[in-house]
C-alpha cells in the first residue's frame, strides 16, 4: 500500500510539473507583434466582431468600451446584438456609440428568441447575415481583448486545415470576496485546462468567449444554422468544424473577463452553470481517445489538490507534510509565474493564495453540479438543460428581473 501511495504521489507531482512545462513551452513559441513588424496590408482587411449583449452586469459598459479602445491594424466593425425588450442594454449601447464616433458600430435589435432556441446563437445567426468582414469574430460582452489580439490570432487560421482559432480567458474583477473567488477559479485553472492536453491530441473544444473564423469557411459549414437548440454553443460550434474536418487552433491571446458577483447565491449559480455545461457536451463525446485524454489530463487532476489536502489532514506525518509543502509551494510559484508572465498580473499578489484555495475546493463544486438539477440562471434567464444538450426556458428575464 505504501508503495502505491508513493507512486501516486510522484505521479501527481509529475503531472503538475509536466503541465507547467507544456504551458511555458507553448508561450515560448510566440511573442506579441511589435507595431513596426505589422504588415501594412492589414488595414485593407475587415473583421466583423459579433457581440451578443445582455444587460445586467455593472461592468458591462467598461468591457464594451475596452474593446472599442483596443489597438489593432485591422479594420473592425462591431455588431452589437441586443434584445428589443432590453431597454437598459439598448440605451447603454447607444450612449457608447455616441461616445466613440470614430468606431464602426452597428446596433442590431432582435426580438427575444423562441423557446428552445439559444439566445446567443439566435443573435449570432442574424449578426452573421449583417456582417461585412472577411473574418468573423465572436466576442462575449464581458470579454476585453488586449492590444494586437487579431495580429496574434489571424495568422493561426491561414493554414487550410484550420477552421477556427480561440483565446485563453482570465478574470479581472477582484472587487469583493465572491468576485475574487470566481476570478480565482478561472485564473488558477484556465491555462492548466486549455493548453496541456493539446500536446497529446488536437483541441476538442474551444473557448466560446472569443474566437475567430474566416467568413468563407463559415459559409462552407452552414454558419451557425442548426445549432440553435444547443445551449452549450462553444462546444456545438467546435463539433461543427470537426464534422467538416477542420481543426481547432489554440491561439496565445490571453483576454480579460469581468463579472461582478454579488453574493454566494450568485457565485454558486455561475459555478453551477460552468460545470453543468461540460456534462452536456465534452463528457458526452463518443470518441474514446478524446474522452480518455479529457478525464486523465483535464478532469482527474482537478481532484489532486483536494486529495493531497485531505490525506495530509487525515494521516499527518513528516512525510505527508513535506510532500504537501512541496506540492502546494510549487503550485503557488507556478501560478504566480503564470499571473505575471501571461495573465497580465490580473490577480493581485496578495490574492494568489486564493488560486490554491479554490483548486482545493474545486472538486466539491464539480460534485455539487453533478448532483444538482440541470438548471442555470443567466442574467435573469432561467433555463433547464436536457440530457441531449438541448434546453427549454423555465422563466425569461422580462418575467423575473434579478
Amino acid at each position: 500500500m505504501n508503495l502505491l501511495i508513493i507512486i501516486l504521489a510522484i505521479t501527481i507531482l509529475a503531472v503538475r510539473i509536466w503541465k507547467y512545462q507544456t504551458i511555458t513551452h507553448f508561450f515560448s513559441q510566440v511573442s506579441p507583434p511589435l507595431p513596426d513588424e505589422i504588415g501594412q496590408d492589414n488595414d485593407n482587411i475587415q473583421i466583423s466582431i459579433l457581440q451578443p449583449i445582455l444587460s445586467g452586469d455593472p461592468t458591462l459598459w467598461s468591457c464594451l468600451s475596452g474593446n472599442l479602445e483596443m489597438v489593432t491594424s485591422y479594420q473592425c466593425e462591431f455588431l452589437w446584438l441586443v434584445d428589443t425588450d432590453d431597454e437598459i442594454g439598448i440605451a447603454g449601447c447607444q450612449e457608447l456609440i455616441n461616445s466613440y464616433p470614430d468606431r464602426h458600430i452597428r446596433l442590431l435589435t432582435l426580438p427575444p428568441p423562441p423557446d428552445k432556441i439559444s439566445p446567443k446563437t439566435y443573435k449570432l445567426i442574424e449578426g452573421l447575415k449583417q456582417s461585412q468582414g472577411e473574418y468573423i469574430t465572436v466576442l462575449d460582452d464581458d470579454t476585453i481583448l488586449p492590444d494586437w489580439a487579431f495580429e496574434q490570432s489571424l495568422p493561426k487560421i491561414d493554414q487550410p486545415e484550420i477552421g477556427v482559432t480561440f483565446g485563453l480567458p482570465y478574470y479581472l474583477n477582484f472587487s469583493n470576496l465572491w468576485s475574487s473567488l470566481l476570478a480565482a477559479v478561472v485564473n488558477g485553472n484556465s491555462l492548466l485546462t486549455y493548453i496541456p492536453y493539446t500536446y497529446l491530441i488536437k483541441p476538442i473544444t474551444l473557448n466560446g468567449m472569443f474566437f475567430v473564423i474566416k467568413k468563407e469557411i463559415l459559409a462552407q459549414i452552414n454558419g451557425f444554422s442548426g445549432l440553435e437548440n444547443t445551449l452549450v454553443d462553444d462546444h456545438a460550434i467546435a463539433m461543427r468544424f470537426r464534422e467538416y474536418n477542420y481543426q481547432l487552433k489554440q491561439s496565445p491571446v490571453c483576454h480579460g473577463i469581468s463579472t461582478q458577483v454579488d453574493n454566494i447565491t450568485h457565485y454558486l449559480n455561475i459555478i453551477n452553470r460552468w460545470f453543468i455545461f461540460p456534462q452536456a457536451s465534452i463528457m458526452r463525446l463518443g470518441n474514446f481517445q478524446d474522452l480518455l485524454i479529457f478525464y486523465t489530463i483535464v478532469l482527474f487532476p482537478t481532484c489532486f489538490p483536494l486529495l493531497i489536502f485531505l490525506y495530509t489532514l487525515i494521516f499527518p506525518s513528516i512525510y505527508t507534510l513535506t510532500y504537501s509543502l512541496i506540492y502546494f509551494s510549487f503550485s503557488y510559484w507556478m501560478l504566480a509565474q503564470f499571473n505575471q508572465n501571461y495573465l497580465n498580473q490580473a490577480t493581485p499578489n496578495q490574492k494568489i493564495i486564493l488560486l490554491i484555495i479554490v483548486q482545493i475546493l474545486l472538486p466539491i463544486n464539480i460534485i455539487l453540479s453533478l448532483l444538482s438539477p440541470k438548471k442555470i440562471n443567466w442574467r435573469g434567464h432561467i433555463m433547464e438543460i436536457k440530457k441531449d444538450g438541448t434546453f427549454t426556458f423555465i422563466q425569461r428575464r422580462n418575467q423575473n428581473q434579478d
Side-chain angles (χ1 to χ4, degrees):
M1 176 62 73
N2 288 339
L3 179 60
L4 289 176
I5 292 174
I6 291 172
I7 293 173
L8 179 60
I10 293 173
T11 301
I12 288 173
L13 186 58
V15 168
R16 178 126 296 197
I17 294 172
W18 173 75
K19 286 193 171 188
Y20 169 77
Q21 291 176 329
T22 60
I23 292 167
T24 55
H25 178 266
F26 175 82
F27 284 105
S28 71
Q29 296 179 303
V30 298
S31 59
L34 300 174
D36 58 357
E37 296 175 346
I38 296 171
Q40 297 299 314
D41 293 337
N42 288 357
D43 58 4
N44 296 320
I45 299 174
Q46 187 174 45
I47 302 171
S48 295
I49 302 173
L50 311 185
Q51 281 195 279
I53 294 173
L54 186 64
S55 67
D57 192 295
T59 66
L60 171 62
W61 313 115
S62 62
C63 292
L64 295 177
S65 61
N67 290 311
L68 296 176
E69 295 171 2
M70 171 188 58
V71 177
T72 180
S73 58
Y74 293 96
Q75 295 185 47
C76 295
E77 66 161 354
F78 291 83
L79 285 82
W80 287 352
L81 308 158
V82 188
D83 295 327
T84 53
D85 59 358
D86 187 357
E87 296 180 1
I88 295 175
I90 293 172
C93 287
Q94 192 59 60
E95 184 176 343
L96 281 178
I97 291 172
N98 296 336
S99 299
Y100 291 87
D102 58 331
R103 297 301 184 188
H104 185 189
I105 308 170
R106 285 193 282 160
L107 178 59
L108 305 179
T109 57
L110 304 171
D115 192 29
K116 300 183 180 180
I117 298 297
S118 165
K120 180 177 178 180
T121 308
Y122 179 72
K123 291 175 179 176
L124 292 180
I125 291 172
E126 184 57 35
L128 182 59
K129 294 176 184 176
Q130 301 288 335
S131 64
Q132 299 173 350
E134 301 102 291
Y135 291 88
I136 301 297
T137 293
V138 174
L139 189 64
D140 278 2
D141 61 6
D142 57 1
T143 302
I144 308 171
L145 293 180
D147 294 342
W148 313 116
F150 293 122
E151 283 72 11
Q152 295 184 70
S153 298
L154 267 61
K156 300 295 181 183
I157 50 178
D158 283 342
Q159 304 171 50
E161 70 273 14
I162 304 298
V164 57
T165 182
F166 51 98
L168 294 157
Y170 63 87
Y171 268 56
L172 299 164
N173 195 331
F174 286 82
S175 61
N176 58 36
L177 172 63
W178 302 110
S179 297
S180 297
L181 287 175
L182 188 71
V185 172
V186 177
N187 296 1
N189 294 280
S190 175
L191 301 186
L192 293 167
T193 298
Y194 279 103
I195 295 176
Y197 88 91
T198 63
Y199 278 71
L200 302 177
I201 59 174
K202 295 179 176 64
I204 58 177
T205 191
L206 55 82
N207 160 28
M209 301 167 186
F210 163 63
F211 58 92
V212 184
I213 314 166
K214 282 185 178 178
K215 192 174 185 179
E216 60 180 342
I217 291 180
L218 201 52
Q220 294 173 17
I221 66 171
N222 199 29
F224 305 114
S225 298
L227 307 178
E228 304 94 323
N229 295 329
T230 304
L231 190 59
V232 191
D233 52 272
D234 49 0
H235 186 70
I237 292 168
M239 292 303 296
R240 168 69 61 85
F241 278 100
R242 296 178 70 193
E243 288 169 1
Y244 280 82
N245 296 317
Y246 283 108
Q247 297 177 20
L248 319 177
K249 186 68 173 180
Q250 177 68 70
S251 87
V253 175
C254 295
H255 54 79
I257 299 170
S258 180
T259 298
Q260 180 74 23
V261 186
D262 300 324
N263 49 48
I264 186 172
T265 301
H266 191 189
Y267 170 80
L268 292 175
N269 280 339
I270 296 174
I271 290 293
N272 191 50
R273 182 176 80 241
W274 285 356
F275 292 116
I276 282 178
F277 280 179
Q279 298 173 47
S281 55
I282 300 175
M283 294 174 71
R284 297 174 57 84
L285 288 170
N287 185 298
F288 175 77
Q289 181 188 29
D290 290 349
L291 276 176
L292 180 63
I293 296 297
F294 172 74
Y295 280 105
T296 57
I297 303 300
V298 179
L299 184 60
F300 289 158
T302 62
C303 300
F304 293 164
L306 177 61
L307 290 176
I308 294 169
F309 177 79
L310 291 177
Y311 190 86
T312 304
L313 198 64
I314 297 170
F315 304 104
S317 71
I318 187 64
Y319 302 107
T320 56
L321 290 172
T322 300
Y323 179 83
S324 293
L325 181 62
I326 292 172
Y327 180 86
F328 287 115
S329 294
F330 175 76
S331 296
Y332 183 94
W333 175 84
M334 175 185 68
L335 295 173
Q337 290 294 305
F338 292 165
N339 183 58
Q340 178 178 343
N341 297 332
Y342 313 131
L343 303 183
N344 200 30
Q345 296 182 308
T347 305
N349 290 334
Q350 68 272 22
K351 293 189 176 181
I352 289 178
I353 189 63
L354 282 179
L355 308 186
I356 301 296
I357 294 172
V358 166
Q359 285 192 347
I360 294 173
L361 297 175
L362 199 58
I364 299 174
N365 293 134
I366 295 174
I367 292 171
L368 290 176
S369 72
L370 289 171
L371 299 176
S372 66
K374 301 302 179 283
K375 298 177 182 179
I376 68 167
N377 186 326
W378 174 239
R379 297 186 192 171
H381 287 312
I382 302 176
M383 294 168 273
E384 181 177 11
I385 302 179
K386 307 297 183 181
K387 290 183 179 180
D388 60 358
T390 60
F391 73 99
T392 184
F393 282 100
I394 296 176
Q395 192 166 32
R396 296 178 186 260
R397 61 178 284 165
N398 57 0
Q399 299 172 315
N400 179 33
Q401 287 287 345
D402 277 354

